[in-house]
Amino acid sequence: MLIENGDIFYSYIMGILEMLTGFHYYVRFLEKKTKRTDYFVFAALGLTVLITVRFGNFAQLLIYAILLTVGGVFVYCAGGVQSALYAVVTVEIMQLCFGIFNSVLSIGLLWLIPIDGGIVSCVGLAFGVVALAAAVFCYRIIHRYFLCDEIVKNQYALMLFIPMLMIFLMDESINSAVYGSSTVVANEIWSGENGRNVNHYQMLLIQLLGLASLFCVMFAYKKLLENFHLSTELSLLEQEEHSLIQYVEEAKTHYEKTRSFRHDIKNHIIMLKALLQNNRMDQALDYIGGMEDITRELYAAYSTNNPVVDILIGNKLGIAEELGIQVECALLLPVPCAVRDIDFCIILSNALDNAIRACKEMEHEADRFIHVTGNIQGAFIMLEIENSFQGNGHFQKGIGLSNVKAVAEKYQGAISIQAQNGIFMLSVLLINVNSHTRVEEH
């Protein structure tokens, strides 16, 4: 990566450029933001390494990777495994790109007549700039297509580290044993010391395969994490589906009981009338008490015009009340409604689960609250779930909110999230596109 035996000025300038370029993209890999002072500090540290470390190129690269990892963990607060992994990727891409262009330079010099060493140094510097540009191109490809959307899993980290270290050690062995500065390479080639003993075409092919292998490993690892993420999401959705089916079944049972009671209400009135006409007051009161027990079972704590949603909200807000959370619900849904019951359940169950979890994490119980409201304007349905939370406005968007967003988009709607001053509000807009058609059908 770094030229050790060439011109000191070129060595230090190129070394600092390589380090700062790698540092810039390393921070982008971690999805963090840098300050200008960070570049100056890292440049000073890199220059110190170049001046003081004289144990060979491998020691410099190792210290460079350690500096990146330490910066990722302690300056940018990234995970240790994630920081180390992307530090190795950063160093390895730079090393491979410069190794490839060392081979290209050596092959080119084999076909040239001997020229002045100063010109060779300039040619070497030009190739160094091209190699740096190639490294930038590789970094951009990695950042755009091969980064993982989630934090690196510790249990899978070895799947990346082991092949990457093998590629790195292979390339480092080639560069240490074969290539030095551009001047030294040129002198050896023209004197016959290097040109006859080294197959530079083979070295070039090996390093190109090393770079391709690095991209393949990154691609395979990303796909592995995506499959892991999808399997986890599928498991959660299966659990959620099971819960929602239970809500639907409870709502159907509640509806059948209500329907049965309405069917029998005429007979109940006739019986009460007969008891009262015969002055059998005690029996009439007992009969009314029995009817109260039946109606109490049919009573829903919250009425939204949708029996499935009534059951769900009553269940979730009942749990919240047991935890000492203040709850309010002012939600009325349109009848008829094009939004499926199970889609309402996905929205409200995820939103209320998140709200309950946020309230439980608060230290002051008196400040806990959850408010559920809904507004209907023509074909538009606006659901709002507001809750208290303890934090500074930052939150992580998980699978639950992703499912809510997916449902909203299914009905040509959208979601809006606001989190400030200890209040979190989720607004979900749905378009009841088929409501008018259904009215005409009925």
Side-chain angles (χ1 to χ4, degrees), residues 3 28 40 63 74 84 90 110 133 194 221 278 284 306 318 321 360 371:
I3 302 174
R28 293 188 66 183
F40 288 110
I63 294 175
F74 295 101
T90 301
L110 285 172
N194 191 293
Y221 184 72
N278 295 323
N306 185 310
E321 287 180 326
K360 285 172 63 177
H371 297 163

Side-chain angles (χ1 to χ4, degrees), residues 126-186:
F127 267 78
V129 173
V130 175
L132 186 62
V136 170
F137 176 76
C138 292
Y139 286 145
R140 293 176 67 88
I141 294 296
I142 290 286
H143 181 263
R144 184 169 182 178
Y145 297 107
F146 294 95
L147 287 189
C148 304
D149 294 332
E150 56 183 301
I151 297 176
V152 176
K153 307 290 184 185
N154 293 342
Q155 61 267 37
Y156 299 133
L158 287 178
M159 297 183 64
L160 276 180
F161 276 120
I162 292 178
M164 283 184 177
L165 287 175
M166 290 181 64
I167 296 171
F168 170 74
L169 291 175
M170 174 272 298
D171 190 67
E172 173 56 25
S173 298
I174 292 175
N175 281 280
S176 298
V178 179
Y179 301 114
S181 69
S182 58
T183 305
V184 173
V185 171

Side-chain angles (χ1 to χ4, degrees), residues 18 25 41 73 93 112 118 125 132 164 177 210 243 246 268 306 355 383 401 414 418 430:
E18 293 169 32
Y25 282 97
V41 172
V73 174
I93 286 178
L112 295 177
L125 179 61
L132 186 62
M164 283 184 177
S243 299
Q246 286 184 328
H268 292 315
N306 185 310
L383 306 178
L401 288 178
Q418 296 180 357
L430 306 172

Side-chain angles (χ1 to χ4, degrees), residues 218-234:
M218 292 290 293
F219 177 78
Y221 184 72
K222 181 180 180 181
K223 289 300 180 182
L224 175 66
L225 285 188
E226 287 178 351
N227 290 335
F228 177 83
H229 178 77
L230 288 175
S231 63
T232 303
E233 183 176 353
L234 179 61

Side-chain angles (χ1 to χ4, degrees), residues 192-366:
E193 297 176 5
N194 191 293
R196 288 194 299 265
N197 299 326
V198 178
N199 187 335
H200 295 289
Y201 294 97
Q202 186 178 40
M203 296 298 102
L204 175 61
L205 178 61
I206 290 173
Q207 295 185 96
L208 286 172
L209 289 175
L211 186 61
S213 299
L214 175 63
F215 280 100
C216 290
V217 170
M218 292 290 293
F219 177 78
Y221 184 72
K222 181 180 180 181
K223 289 300 180 182
L224 175 66
L225 285 188
E226 287 178 351
N227 290 335
F228 177 83
H229 178 77
L230 288 175
S231 63
T232 303
E233 183 176 353
L234 179 61
S235 176
L236 292 175
L237 289 175
E238 288 176 349
Q239 295 177 4
E240 186 176 77
E241 180 186 13
H242 178 70
S243 299
L244 296 179
I245 289 174
Q246 286 184 328
Y247 290 133
V248 172
E249 292 300 323
E250 290 180 17
K252 288 181 178 178
T253 302
H254 182 271
Y255 175 77
E256 290 299 327
K257 288 182 178 179
T258 304
R259 183 180 179 183
S260 177
F261 180 79
R262 288 176 178 175
H263 180 269
D264 296 336
I265 191 66
K266 182 177 180 180
N267 295 329
H268 292 315
I269 293 174
I270 293 173
M271 181 61 69
L272 281 173
K273 183 177 180 180
L275 291 172
L276 293 174
Q277 287 176 344
N278 295 323
N279 294 322
R280 300 168 67 177
M281 299 297 297
D282 293 337
Q283 292 182 346
L285 291 174
D286 291 338
Y287 197 90
I288 292 174
M291 293 180 63
E292 285 180 344
D293 293 336
I294 296 175
T295 56
R296 191 177 298 112
E297 294 179 359
L298 300 177
Y299 174 73
Y302 304 96
S303 179
T304 66
N305 290 334
N306 185 310
V308 175
V309 176
D310 292 347
I311 297 294
L312 186 145
I313 290 182
N315 184 294
K316 297 295 184 182
L317 295 187
I319 294 174
E321 287 180 326
E322 291 176 358
L323 295 172
I325 302 172
Q326 299 179 4
V327 299
E328 292 182 7
C329 180
L331 173 61
L332 287 177
L333 299 176
V335 180
C337 184
V339 181
R340 296 170 56 200
D341 294 344
I342 197 166
D343 290 328
F344 276 128
C345 288
I346 291 174
I347 294 172
L348 293 170
S349 62
N350 281 295
L352 292 175
D353 283 342
N354 290 340
I356 292 172
R357 189 181 304 112
C359 290
K360 285 172 63 177
E361 294 175 354
M362 294 183 63
E363 296 178 356
H364 303 290
E365 296 184 4

